[in-house]
Structure formats: C-alpha cells, structure tokens
Amino acid sequence: AQKITQTQPGMFVQEKEAVTLDCTYDTSDPSYGLFWYKQPSSGEMIFLIYQGSYDQQNATEGRYSLNFQKARKSANLVISASQLGDSAMYFCAMREGGGNTGKLIFGQGTTLQVKP
Amino acid sequence: GAGVSQSPSNKVTEKGKDVELRCDPISGHTALYWYRQSLGQGLEFLIYFQGNSAPDKSGLPSDRFSAERTGGSVSTLTIQRTQQEDSAVYLCASSPRGDWTGELFFGEGSRLTVL
C-alpha cells in the first residue's frame, strides 16, 4: 500500500535562507507521481511542484526544487531564499499508477514559519 | 470562475441531521476527489471518481457517507445522521487526467460544524 511520511511537524527558517522539508514514501508501483502542496492559513491548497518516477532530473519551479532520491524513496522540497509569505503548511503527496491509478495520498504536513 | 467551486462554504448542523455538500469541478476535468481535513491535520482521502469507472470508495469512514457524480461533472457528498466527529473541512479537487501525472486543483472547501 502507498504511504507518505513527513517527519517534521514544524520548522523555522530565517528570511532569505533556504529550507528543506522532508518527505519519504513507500510504494511497490514503478509508476508514480510525487507532489508538493502549500496550504496557507487561508486554507486554500496551492500546487507547488511535481516529480514523476521516470523523470531523470529533479523538478524545479522558481524558488522550489524537489530533491528526488529514488533509491531512498525520498522527495524533499527545497525552498530557496525564504520569504515571509512562505509561512504555511506544506504537504507531500503521491499518486500511483497501475491498479490504483489516480488516488492521491497526502502526508501529515509540515508547518513552516519564516522569521524576519 | 474557472476554478473548482464548492458549496456551502460553511454549514452548521445538529447532530443526527443529514447534510449535502456540493462540488462543481473545472470543466473538462475527468477526475474528481473528496478529502476531509480536521483542524491542523492532513488530508484524509474519502472517494475518487474517474470518468465512467466505478468510484474508489476506499476512504469513506462509514456507511453514513456516500457520494455521487452526475453526468461526469457535479458531485455531491452526503453525510447521514451526522456526528460531532464529522466536523471538518471537506475539500473537493479535480484533475484533467486520471493517471498518476496530473496535479489536483482544489476548491476552497466546505466547513462543516456538527453541534
């Protein structure tokens, strides 16, 4: 069964510094996608970045990059040059292919606070 | 608007009453999901619809919960005989594809409070 684990309930980072949010996953399916979402205090879910299991390079989207280590089954999110507006809850999620196509499972989330 | 629309945004009900929550996905999106999020917690998968396939109901917590999707578009999540533990934000999401590559677009949620 698919499983997503985020072991950091809360993180602090100084403004303008980089921060890494950890995510590990477990699946026996060779085809899967990994996603990161941001949820600010307003409650909306904002898609940040996607990494496919067959992608050769780590995904990047502006200040967000995904450190994908397939053998270790980890998909850590790196936020560079943190901004006050990055303070939010961050969720890692996974969708499997194969017989369980489409179901997206979320981790428990990491609350990030950016300090001025 | 062009996003996922959910209604009502807030619902307060008495224990034992039935409630219906509505989701209008982005036009053309074949996949539709319902999640539940309790305060400060992660998203709990409830149910997933993909095209004309049988829905994946594996996340529904009890037989008091049901959902349908009419005409491949609008979906309704029904909770019968509500309990206080049903209080949560119910999030709907849609995706243009049902495979493992498509991102989900979320609505703003329906906040349910059961007194």
Side-chain angles (χ1 to χ4, degrees):
Chain A
Q2 59 186 125
K3 186 177 179 182
I4 290 280
T5 303
Q6 294 180 255
T7 58
Q8 305 156 313
M11 291 279 288
F12 289 91
V13 65
Q14 205 68 35
E15 193 178 8
K16 300 181 184 177
E17 292 186 351
V19 62
T20 298
L21 306 183
D22 294 343
C23 173
T24 59
Y25 60 92
D26 190 21
T27 179
S28 57
D29 198 317
S31 304
Y32 54 89
L34 296 158
F35 302 77
W36 278 91
Y37 282 84
K38 171 184 178 181
Q39 188 179 42
S41 56
S42 59
E44 61 187 309
M45 292 289 287
I46 302 168
F47 167 73
L48 296 178
I49 196 166
Y50 163 80
Q51 180 86 43
S53 60
Y54 298 113
D55 294 343
Q56 295 297 309
Q57 294 189 338
N58 287 343
T60 60
E61 289 287 347
R63 295 186 299 110
Y64 304 107
S65 61
L66 200 152
N67 184 3
F68 181 44
Q69 298 188 39
K70 196 170 182 177
R72 295 181 59 189
K73 294 187 175 179
S74 74
N76 299 339
L77 177 71
V78 180
I79 306 174
S80 63
S82 297
Q83 302 173 356
L84 296 178
D86 294 335
S87 294
M89 195 150 188
Y90 289 80
F91 292 99
C92 181
M94 178 173 67
R95 287 176 95 172
E96 286 179 332
N100 202 25
T101 300
K103 184 171 163 180
L104 185 70
I105 300 298
F106 285 82
Q108 286 302 301
T110 296
T111 300
L112 176 67
Q113 292 192 33
V114 180
K115 294 183 172 181
Chain B
V4 176
S5 178
Q6 291 188 246
S7 61
S9 55
N10 275 287
K11 175 72 176 179
V12 180
T13 191
E14 294 180 347
K15 178 182 173 181
K17 300 283 190 182
D18 298 351
V19 297
E20 287 189 349
L21 306 177
R22 176 188 168 105
C23 173
D24 201 340
I26 294 172
S27 178
H29 281 197
T30 60
L32 187 147
Y33 302 74
W34 284 97
Y35 290 87
R36 178 169 71 174
Q37 186 176 30
S38 300
L39 188 63
Q41 301 299 309
L43 277 73
E44 176 188 5
F45 168 79
L46 296 178
I47 189 168
Y48 160 58
F49 297 89
Q50 169 54 33
N52 295 321
S53 302
D56 180 346
K57 304 180 182 180
S58 60
L60 294 178
S62 77
D63 59 8
R64 297 187 295 106
F65 288 74
S66 63
E68 62 177 19
R69 188 179 185 190
T70 54
S73 180
V74 172
S75 176
T76 302
L77 176 69
T78 300
I79 309 173
Q80 295 179 311
R81 305 181 302 282
T82 52
Q83 303 295 312
Q84 289 182 332
E85 60 263 29
D86 299 335
S87 295
V89 176
Y90 290 81
L91 290 162
C92 176
S94 69
S95 179
R97 297 184 296 279
D99 63 20
W100 46 280
T101 62
E103 73 186 80
L104 270 61
F105 297 80
F106 282 82
E108 295 188 353
S110 292
R111 182 178 296 278
L112 174 66
T113 303
V114 182
L115 301 177

